[in-house]
Amino acid sequence: MNLRDKLRGLLVRLYARRVEGHLDHAQVPKHIGVIMDGNRRWAKASGSTTEHGHRAGAEKIEEFLGWCTETDVEVVTLWLLSTDNFDRPEDELVPLLGIIEDVVRTLAADGRWRVHHVGTPDILPSDVQTALKVAEESTSHVDGILVNVAIGYGGRQEIADAVRSMIVDAADRGTSMEDLADSVSVDLIGRHLYTGAQPDPDLVIRTSGEQRLSGFMLWQTAHAEYYFCEVFWPAFRKVDFLRALRDYAARHRRYGG
């Protein structure tokens, strides 16, 4: 690392401390959703392989959760794999699934966070399903950040699964379709989502410069604030995170009022 890079790094760290020093923890979002985008483009820009890009993105997760712990965030939803990602070539998808399995095991072994899967388990390989089940069971007692790992996740699929779950539950209780139709409400559907009784996201961060949700938590983000960051996910820094929190704190949330 040359002198210019060292000075730049020092200035960034000093700036991050300044931003953090002025951060009002009372204004910190309690639930942050993250669309971790840009692993492949980061790898291409650095002359590396796609697999290396995904691994670099995976390594960023624990660091990011550490920042969230420092700033009193309570729930984090990380989008690791969408239902659309299964259309990727096998030579990319297979290593990616292995990396995601490693992420789940690492988060569970860390001991600081409670892991919860959001997504459709049936479409995942058995090894990933097992890792998710073990992670949820082994961290259920942890009094730390609730980390939703969105794997095999699609927003439309979640709503369809919620409606299906609602119908099955009604049938199990002997409720007629007419009575179910009369009882359908926003709250009822919400209780059948993957996130159940969790608070909705206050802030959604998407890296890589893309400005769209791509189906991420379509129901839960109705009143969320969005922060789009140009940097690719593997290069996401603490100062980028703090800027997102500062930007969020400066907004006036009206909830339609």
Side-chain angles (χ1 to χ4, degrees):
M1 181 181 293
N2 58 39
L3 180 59
R4 178 181 295 179
D5 289 338
K6 289 181 179 179
L7 288 173
R8 183 183 294 114
L10 176 61
L11 290 173
V12 169
R13 288 193 295 274
L14 290 173
Y15 176 67
R17 289 176 186 173
R18 181 180 178 184
V19 174
E20 188 170 13
H22 289 85
L23 187 66
D24 181 359
H25 283 232
Q27 297 296 319
V28 169
K30 296 305 179 184
H31 184 171
I32 297 178
V34 189
I35 303 175
M36 306 178 294
D37 198 14
N39 292 343
R40 293 187 293 180
R41 279 171 285 169
W42 176 87
K44 184 178 181 180
S46 62
S48 188
T49 64
T50 296
E51 182 176 349
H52 181 250
H54 288 314
R55 290 199 179 278
E59 291 170 0
K60 179 62 62 174
I61 290 173
E62 280 195 284
E63 187 178 10
F64 176 81
L65 292 175
W67 303 334
C68 290
T69 300
E70 294 171 1
T71 49
D72 300 329
V73 176
E74 298 176 0
V75 184
V76 176
T77 299
L78 304 168
W79 200 3
L80 280 79
L81 186 76
S82 75
T83 50
D84 293 336
N85 290 154
F86 282 89
D87 293 332
R88 292 184 178 181
E90 187 174 351
D91 61 351
E92 178 186 352
L93 182 59
V94 172
L96 176 56
L97 286 166
I99 292 168
I100 288 172
E101 182 182 341
D102 290 341
V103 167
V104 172
R105 295 186 189 280
T106 299
L107 292 179
D110 186 280
R112 286 181 289 173
W113 306 300
R114 184 156 45 102
V115 180
H116 174 68
H117 176 229
V118 295
T120 307
D122 296 345
I123 64 175
L124 301 174
S126 58
D127 289 348
V128 178
Q129 292 185 41
T130 299
L132 287 167
K133 182 178 180 181
V134 171
E136 289 190 329
E137 292 176 351
S138 64
T139 63
S140 60
H141 67 286
V142 175
D143 185 24
I145 290 178
L146 171 59
V147 181
N148 294 316
V149 284
I151 303 170
Y153 175 86
R156 289 178 174 176
Q157 185 62 52
E158 177 179 25
I159 295 170
D161 286 348
V163 173
R164 185 180 301 107
S165 172
M166 187 174 61
I167 293 172
V168 170
D169 183 55
D172 289 343
R173 290 183 287 104
T175 303
S176 69
M177 289 299 99
E178 291 79 7
D179 289 341
L180 174 59
D182 289 339
S183 67
V184 171
S185 66
V186 170
D187 288 340
L188 180 60
I189 295 174
R191 290 198 297 271
H192 286 270
L193 296 171
Y194 301 146
T195 50
Q198 297 179 24
D200 290 338
D202 302 298
L203 174 66
V204 174
I205 299 172
R206 180 167 189 158
T207 57
S208 87
E210 302 293 347
Q211 298 188 21
R212 59 179 183 273
L213 285 180
S214 300
F216 181 67
M217 303 190 86
L218 294 175
W219 184 280
Q220 299 94 324
T221 58
H223 295 293
E225 299 290 331
Y226 306 110
Y227 184 83
F228 300 108
C229 179
E230 292 292 332
V231 68
F232 297 137
W233 173 249
F236 192 72
R237 305 163 300 175
K238 186 175 184 178
V239 68
D240 300 312
F241 172 67
L242 293 172
R243 283 170 175 164
L245 297 190
R246 183 183 62 183
D247 184 84
Y248 170 83
R251 301 183 188 183
H252 179 58
R253 305 182 75 193
R254 297 181 178 84
Y255 298 99

